[in-house]
């Protein structure tokens, strides 16, 4: 569904991705793992058009999206949820959610605001609260819910568990798996929290200093003790 071929991305003299080949399949969770600075964020920024690769190609359902603008990308069915909980703090939870209804793609059965509130009930309880009053976990739920309202076919998620308590991360990872199982969504997830990201993944990809070190079924990677110790930190 999503494919990268020979993608190299740089920031001036720093090579963040080097000749990366990668596939994220339909109806699957593909987790990209790696330490700080491995190139995970750059990978998602390159796919979603926020960073221009120096070379290589990104295709989505066979269509070349390497130089597509961000709004056309949304209409094509790709939604990027960047690191850092990008909510609009002066708006309420409900108003933030409704922003997700703008520029929807027409590729899937749309989810309504009440559907996404069913996935994350706390957003319903707090619907009239200003977003700046939310906890980190609630903000993360809000940005995922808002992205889902754009009716994506594939969600690109950058470190959804960053800085969250284990119980809240587990809830978010559970919903991600549920979206794939019950709504046929495809997910490309980048995470430092390798154990959790592999536990919900079909396929795992390990990045090290901008290169693909390993790519295999998530179960195979989880069982590889040497790889876990060397690259995944557990
Ligand atoms: P983290 O988990 O810390 O966010 P990451 O795996 O997401 O790490 P990237 O943020 O993609 O890694 O960074 C990859 C490399 O590119 C690193 O060496 C980083 O220092 C460098 N880099 C990232 N953004 C910039 C930038 N705006 N300017 C210069 N170098 C950058």
């Amino acid at each position: 569904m999503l494919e990268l071929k020979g993608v190299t991305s740089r920031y001036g003299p720093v090579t963040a991705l080097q000749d990366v080949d990668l596939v994220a399949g339909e109806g699957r969770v593909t987790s990209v793992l790696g330490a700080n600075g491995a190139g995970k964020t750059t990978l998602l920024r390159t796919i979603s058009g926020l960073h221009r690769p120096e070379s290589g190609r990104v295709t989505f359902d066979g269509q070349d999206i390497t130089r597509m603008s961000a709004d056309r990308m949304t209409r094509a069915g790709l939604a990027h949820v960047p690191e850092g909980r990008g909510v609009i703090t002066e708006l309420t939870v409900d108003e933030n959610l409704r922003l997700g209804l703008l520029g929807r793609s027409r590729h899937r059965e749309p989810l309504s605001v009440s559907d996404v509130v069913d996935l994350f009930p706390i957003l319903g309880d707090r619907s009239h609260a200003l977003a700046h009053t939310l906890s980190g976990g609630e903000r993360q739920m809000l940005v995922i819910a808002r992205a889902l309202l754009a009716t994506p076919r594939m969600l690109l998620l950058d470190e959804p568990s960053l800085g969250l308590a284990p119980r809240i991360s587990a809830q978010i990872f559970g919903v991600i798996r549920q979206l794939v199982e019950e709504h046929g969504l495809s997910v490309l997830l980048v995470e430092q929290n390798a154990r959790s990201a592999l536990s919900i993944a079909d396929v795992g990809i390990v990045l090290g200093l901008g290169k693909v070190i390993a790519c295999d079924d998530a179960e195979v990677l989880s069982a590889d003790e040497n790889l876990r110790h060397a690259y995944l930190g557990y």
Side-chain angles (χ1 to χ4, degrees):
M1 182 179 204
L2 177 77
E3 187 168 12
L4 275 71
K5 276 219 160 94
V7 169
T8 294
S9 282
R10 292 188 215 278
Y11 300 97
V14 178
T15 303
L17 295 176
Q18 193 172 351
D19 202 20
V20 168
D21 291 339
L22 171 157
V23 173
E26 184 151 21
R28 297 181 137 207
V29 177
T30 304
S31 291
V32 177
L33 316 160
N36 264 327
K40 303 181 301 297
T41 293
T42 305
L43 176 76
L44 294 193
R45 290 175 53 81
T46 302
I47 294 168
S48 67
L50 295 172
H51 187 82
R52 278 277 158 89
E54 182 184 89
S55 55
R57 239 162 77 94
V58 184
T59 57
F60 187 54
D61 269 350
Q63 186 184 9
D64 191 332
I65 61 165
T66 320
R67 283 173 175 76
M68 198 179 259
S69 64
D71 61 323
R72 279 187 62 205
M73 202 86 77
T74 310
R75 276 183 268 127
L78 264 177
H80 183 186
V81 181
E83 198 177 345
R85 333 249 190 271
V87 299
I88 301 185
T89 51
E90 301 81 7
L91 298 182
T92 65
V93 168
D94 187 58
E95 287 163 345
N96 266 280
L97 282 176
R98 286 177 194 285
L99 291 176
L101 298 169
L102 306 171
R104 299 184 123 190
S105 85
R106 294 198 181 81
H107 291 289
R108 299 167 41 78
E109 184 76 11
L111 289 174
S112 65
V113 171
S114 75
D115 291 331
V116 298
V117 166
D118 284 345
L119 291 166
F120 296 113
I122 189 76
L123 298 180
D125 300 343
R126 308 228 44 207
S127 74
H128 300 299
L130 290 174
H132 75 83
T133 66
L134 300 182
S135 68
E138 290 162 354
R139 286 183 189 212
Q140 186 62 63
M141 293 177 200
L142 177 55
V143 288
I144 294 174
R146 188 175 63 193
L148 290 171
L149 288 171
T151 326
R153 297 170 59 210
M154 178 172 274
L155 208 52
L156 308 174
L157 284 175
D158 196 348
E159 305 246 15
S161 79
L162 193 72
L164 303 185
R167 187 175 53 83
I168 305 294
S169 312
Q171 186 192 347
I172 290 172
F173 283 125
V175 170
I176 293 167
R177 191 68 227 176
Q178 187 185 349
L179 286 163
V180 171
E181 303 282 338
E182 294 173 13
H183 298 275
L185 193 73
S186 309
V187 175
L188 180 63
L189 168 72
V190 313
E191 260 296 338
Q192 269 192 62
N193 182 350
R195 190 198 293 261
S196 301
L198 279 178
S199 75
I200 60 153
D202 300 286
V203 174
I205 294 167
V206 181
L207 274 186
L209 295 177
K211 292 186 184 164
V212 175
I213 306 281
C215 170
D216 215 325
D217 286 348
E219 284 174 13
V220 174
L221 292 186
S222 304
D224 186 334
E225 214 167 302
N226 291 334
L227 184 94
R228 279 197 345 242
H229 290 327
Y231 291 101
L232 305 181
Y234 79 99

